[in-house]
Amino acid sequence: MRFENQVVMVTGGAAGIGQVTAENFAKEGAKVAICDINADSGAAAAKALGPEASFTQVDVANSTSVSDWVDAVLDQFGQIDVLVNNAGITRDGLIMRMKEEDWDAVISVNLKSAFNCIKAISKIMVKQRSGRIINLASVVGVMGNPGQANYVASKAGMIGLTKTVAKELGSRGITVNAVAPGFIETDMTAVLSDKARDAMLSIIPLQRAGSPQDVADAITFLASDGAAYITGQVIHVTGGMYM
């Protein structure tokens, strides 16, 4: 029970990596507050976590919506120990054809959301003189990927944000790290063609796709006491796809 009496916030917690991450924390004793834009699946996910979990429908790209959520979690639980910035979307396309609104949407949901959440909880964690922040980046944020200029830019930005905030908050006992998944079996990757899947698998030394559980385990490790001296790092969960 590594997280007994701790309060964990997870954005995009209604499905995929976010949902499994929330389950990991709940199984180890945490009180978990998840948010998502999807009210129905978010409420169901929170109910499955048990009586000490909560769900709030939040537009993480909107700073007021995020601030209201943080205030509600603080009112309910009295503290915030871990923040997992997981919310993300894709709007793929070659840059010469990419619509401006698709660029803006991905940057807002994937990167601005992390800024909104970190800003909202940083004063709380500074006052506590403790906290863990884990940001979801991606292997493409360091490798690049054709047809995903907006997504790649958002994830590369997440890595830079992680390193900067780690330096800003480290003196207050707060660690900030990123997890960069590779090819993970989620709803986002389920739409890929067989040809695209085979191409991805061919460059993975472990010769398989990862699971949301693989990523969630890395996230919970970074939030644990065992990672107390790790900050400003990017942990690649890629099966060796990137070294």
Side-chain angles (χ1 to χ4, degrees), residues 183 192-204:
F183 183 35
L192 293 174
S193 67
D194 289 342
K195 182 179 179 180
R197 289 177 62 85
D198 290 344
M200 294 287 282
L201 291 172
S202 70
I203 61 173
I204 300 173

Side-chain angles (χ1 to χ4, degrees), residues 9-11 35 58-63 66-67 69-70 80 83-87 111-125 133 135:
M9 299 178 69
V10 181
T11 70
C35 81
V58 177
D59 175 4
V60 287
N62 182 288
S63 60
V66 168
S67 293
W69 177 45
V70 170
I80 297 169
L83 168 66
V84 180
N85 285 308
N86 167 75
L111 182 57
K112 185 184 177 186
S113 65
F115 161 76
N116 288 338
C117 292
I118 292 170
K119 182 177 180 181
I121 62 91
S122 59
K123 290 182 180 178
I124 298 164
M125 289 185 172
I133 300 171
N135 298 322

